[in-house]
């Protein structure tokens, strides 16, 4: 991974995401300072950086995909953004996590530094966490956000 944010476009994405720190967790919400879940966090950052929504997701429950195993977030990521090998992920790349073996991947975050990432955590809201081995082993995909125009 690149050790620093040398690209000003990538820095802009990370700084926009950091402005969401402290936003409370709210299922299906996507408003900075008001509430968001992990998908809403990335949707909101995207909207602030790019000015348009990439794709509006259908309504979903907190336990979506747990029972049918469909990889909806992975499918959407592959459809909408370029995938990068996880070891080559850089700050401002989106990360997709599988929280339990055998379950669908359904947690998202944004790499903020080589060793940190931002995400909306159900009990804490938007936080910046260490990207430690416990989190790294759960990542199943990384996606590159385009440079803002």
């Amino acid at each position: 991974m690149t050790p620093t944010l040398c690209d000003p476009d990538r820095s802009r994405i990370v700084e926009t995401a950091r402005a969401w720190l402290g936003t409370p967790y709210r299922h299906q919400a996507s408003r900075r300072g008001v509430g968001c879940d992990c998908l809403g966090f990335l949707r909101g950052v995207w909207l602030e950086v790019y000015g348009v929504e990439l794709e509006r997701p259908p309504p979903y429950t907190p336990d979506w995909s747990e029972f049918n195993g469909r990889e909806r977030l992975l499918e959407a990521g592959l459809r909408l953004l370029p995938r990068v090998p996880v070891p080559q992920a850089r700050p401002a790349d989106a990360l997709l996590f599988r929280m339990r073996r055998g379950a669908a991947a359904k947690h998202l975050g944004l790499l903020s530094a080589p060793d940190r990432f931002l995400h909306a955590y159900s009990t804490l809201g938007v936080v910046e966490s260490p990207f430690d081995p416990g989190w790294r082993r759960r990542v199943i995909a990384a996606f590159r956000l385009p440079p803002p125009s």
Side-chain angles (χ1 to χ4, degrees):
M1 281 186 238
T2 306
T4 61
L5 276 172
C6 56
D7 182 337
D9 289 335
R10 299 187 78 70
S11 294
R12 179 175 162 214
I13 294 167
V14 170
E15 290 311 308
T16 299
R18 281 193 174 126
W20 285 67
L21 285 168
T23 297
Y25 185 89
R26 292 232 188 340
H27 176 67
Q28 283 194 307
S30 187
R31 292 201 49 204
R32 180 165 45 106
V34 176
C36 66
D37 57 14
C38 63
L39 177 57
F41 166 62
L42 285 180
R43 286 178 56 221
V45 169
W46 180 279
L47 187 58
E48 285 187 35
V49 170
Y50 302 101
V52 296
E53 184 152 44
L54 189 59
E55 179 177 287
R56 185 159 180 78
Y60 53 93
T61 61
D63 64 352
W64 65 277
S65 285
E66 287 183 15
F67 303 108
N68 67 15
R70 185 167 171 204
E71 296 285 357
R72 292 178 189 266
L73 286 178
L74 180 59
E75 292 168 10
L78 293 169
R79 186 175 62 251
L80 300 169
L81 296 168
R83 188 173 185 174
V84 295
V86 174
Q88 294 175 23
R90 304 184 314 204
D93 286 343
L95 303 172
L96 176 59
F97 298 88
R98 184 180 318 284
M99 300 306 288
R100 282 192 337 245
R101 187 178 314 224
K106 62 177 219 165
H107 187 62
L108 294 162
L110 185 88
L111 197 60
S112 55
D115 60 348
R116 302 198 59 78
F117 74 106
L118 296 151
H119 59 129
Y121 204 65
S122 61
T123 57
L124 302 171
V126 178
V127 295
E128 190 166 19
S129 298
F131 191 40
D132 60 25
W135 280 108
R136 287 179 190 272
R137 71 178 153 75
R138 289 181 169 94
V139 176
I140 68 153
F143 299 96
R144 179 85 9 105
L145 275 65
S149 47

